[in-house]
Amino acid sequence: YQTRDALSAKMAAVELRARELESELEVQRSLNRTIEQQVVSQMSSLVTLYEGARSLNTLDRQALLRGMLEFFSSALHADAASLYLREQDHWRLHEKLAPPGFDRIPERIFPTQGLIGRAGAENRVLSLRDWFGSEPEKAWAEREKSAAILAGPVRRDTGEIIGIFAVHSMDLLHFGSASVSLLSLLLDWAEAAISKCFYFEEIRSKLISDEILDVYNENYFKSRSRQEFIRSATYALPFSVILISLPGANALAPDRRLRFLRSVSRLLQDASREIDIVTKHPDPDIPFAVLMMTATTEQARELGGKFTREYERLGLGAGPDGSAGALALRIGIGSYSPDMKEVDELLAHARAEFR
């Protein structure tokens, strides 16, 4: 009996130890799951930051603003967010990210109007806690009374406020002082990208040439065509503009399109008179324009015919298999007449010839 009791005691001890080991193992499993969740969360944060950094690395203003809206929304776990830009005496909705049917995003916000307006007026990040009190639960309970939960000014490095980012819907778990600090950090981060983009636009606006195509740029076309129109109206001088359309060019692969446009640019410059000016045109479907000072409609048509003949002779419009006419060159001509009041009327005549 003593042996049986001793064996039973040992079995009980083994079972107890097994239960203890199982309990310890479960603790270890729980710790592993927690660690895995933290790793996944950290990886997700890193991916968000990486993608956000890429979205802010652009000199295109529209792409930058869109990337900023998407990046901020993702980082803050916002269900609905928007970006407002300044327009005269108010803030106008530029773009929003929201689920279908979400209707709590105003189209316009006036200075000091609500949380969004105050964020711009006070030049700082504001949340419901600034609007309804410092207690998070109490402030959150009042969220339906406000158009935004969180808002902050989008600035240049000069201090100029160009817009306001606003969060209109998010989970309670992500609302608090941490979200305010995070938005402040994101806005500071974006400030450098915005400033670089605006600086690039300002520098570009002062340039008059397109170095890639070796012609004058769109801004020069706008200013010079207006100047020549005024001169013609003042001194009754002839003035013509030739618009060059290349249907199908935009569908080419980027490298081939660039080589093609460079070739056409060289043709236009070689065929034009010394006093003519070859420029880019603002419309992507009309890549080039030729300003012909003191030129009548007949002279413009003569030069336009020369462009067409040279284009066909050089085979610039041939397809990859050598087939002719794959990319046609179309000419539109507008000339000054005394009954015209604005240069846009002259350009409209040139565009009409494409129809």
Side-chain angles (χ1 to χ4, degrees):
Y1 290 107
Q2 291 179 351
T3 302
R4 186 184 299 170
D5 292 341
L7 184 59
S8 297
K10 287 182 179 180
M11 287 295 293
V14 169
E15 291 176 356
L16 177 61
R17 181 56 181 159
R19 287 194 296 272
E20 291 175 349
L21 290 173
E22 181 64 30
S23 178
E24 291 177 8
L25 182 60
E26 183 57 36
V27 171
Q28 292 296 326
R29 287 173 180 156
S30 178
L31 289 173
N32 285 338
R33 285 195 295 270
T34 301
I35 292 171
E36 288 175 357
Q37 289 173 355
Q38 290 177 347
V39 170
V40 170
S41 177
Q42 289 174 357
M43 287 299 295
S44 177
S45 298
L46 287 174
V47 169
T48 299
L49 290 174
Y50 173 71
E51 292 297 332
R54 289 185 60 188
S55 67
L56 297 182
N57 188 29
T58 177
L59 294 175
D60 181 273
R61 184 189 296 207
Q62 295 305 315
L64 175 61
L65 295 175
R66 173 71 184 185
M68 187 177 71
L69 176 60
E70 292 177 347
F71 174 34
F72 286 15
S73 298
S74 177
L76 291 163
H77 301 281
D79 298 319
S82 65
L83 182 63
Y84 290 84
L85 298 182
R86 187 185 297 279
E87 185 174 280
Q88 297 179 350
D89 62 342
H90 63 274
W91 300 102
R92 175 184 54 81
L93 179 64
H94 174 69
E95 192 169 359
K96 63 183 178 181
L97 291 176
F102 190 90
D103 59 358
R104 290 174 48 210
I105 303 179
E107 289 293 327
R108 294 194 305 170
I109 295 289
F110 288 93
T112 72
Q113 178 186 346
L115 190 67
I116 300 173
R118 273 189 53 186
E122 298 182 17
N123 192 18
R124 66 188 181 102
V125 175
L126 296 177
S127 76
L128 289 175
R129 297 175 67 177
D130 298 284
W131 203 250
F132 296 110
S134 59
E135 296 181 17
E137 292 80 7
K138 181 179 178 182
W140 184 258
E142 301 289 339
R143 66 188 182 281
E144 297 295 332
K145 299 179 181 180
S146 174
I149 294 172
L150 192 64
V154 179
R155 294 180 293 257
R156 295 183 60 180
D157 56 1
T158 59
E160 176 191 1
I161 302 174
I162 67 156
I164 302 174
F165 172 81
V167 173
H168 304 273
S169 177
M170 69 190 311
D171 193 275
L172 174 60
L173 294 175
H174 298 116
F175 171 71
S177 57
S179 59
V180 173
S181 299
L182 178 56
L183 179 54
S184 298
L185 177 64
L186 293 172
L187 289 167
D188 288 342
W189 191 2
E191 184 177 300
I194 292 168
S195 300
K196 183 170 64 174
C197 176
F198 274 63
Y199 180 70
F200 173 77
E201 290 180 352
E202 290 167 359
I203 294 297
R204 188 177 180 182
S205 68
K206 296 176 183 178
L207 299 177
I208 64 171
S209 64
D210 185 305
E211 300 296 335
I212 297 176
L213 297 179
D214 193 27
V215 296
Y216 288 96
N217 63 20
E218 306 95 317
N219 293 328
Y220 186 78
F221 167 80
K222 293 176 183 177
S223 62
R224 186 62 186 269
S225 61
R226 187 176 296 108
Q227 291 172 11
E228 292 301 327
F229 181 87
I230 293 173
R231 190 163 76 98
S232 294
T234 303
Y235 300 105
L237 296 172
F239 169 56
S240 297
V241 175
I242 301 178
L243 300 183
I244 310 296
S245 174
L246 298 163
N250 289 334
L252 296 175
D255 290 345
R256 189 184 170 208
R257 180 176 183 273
L258 180 58
R259 291 194 301 270
F260 173 65
L261 291 179
R262 280 176 172 170
S263 299
V264 175
S265 168
R266 177 49 53 195
L267 179 157
L268 297 175
Q269 294 180 76
D270 290 344
S272 296
R273 306 173 306 170
E274 286 190 10
I275 62 172
D276 298 334
I277 298 176
V278 181
T279 77
K280 285 187 68 178
H281 188 272
D283 188 338
D285 295 325
I286 306 174
F288 298 107
V290 181
L291 305 180
M292 300 185 67
M293 275 61 74
T294 66
T296 63
T297 303
E298 291 72 22
Q299 290 173 307
R301 294 207 180 282
E302 182 180 343
L303 182 58
K306 185 177 180 181
F307 289 157
T308 301
R309 291 191 298 273
E310 284 297 298
Y311 184 81
E312 292 173 351
R313 184 182 69 83
L314 295 172
L316 294 181
D321 58 353
S323 59
L327 290 170
L329 180 145
R330 300 176 63 194
I331 301 289
I333 295 173
S335 299
Y336 170 75
S337 66
D339 60 326
M340 293 180 177
K341 303 299 182 183
E342 300 288 341
V343 68
D344 289 342
E345 296 177 63
L346 185 154
L347 298 177
H349 278 271
R351 282 177 174 272
E353 296 203 352
F354 290 139
R355 300 192 188 117

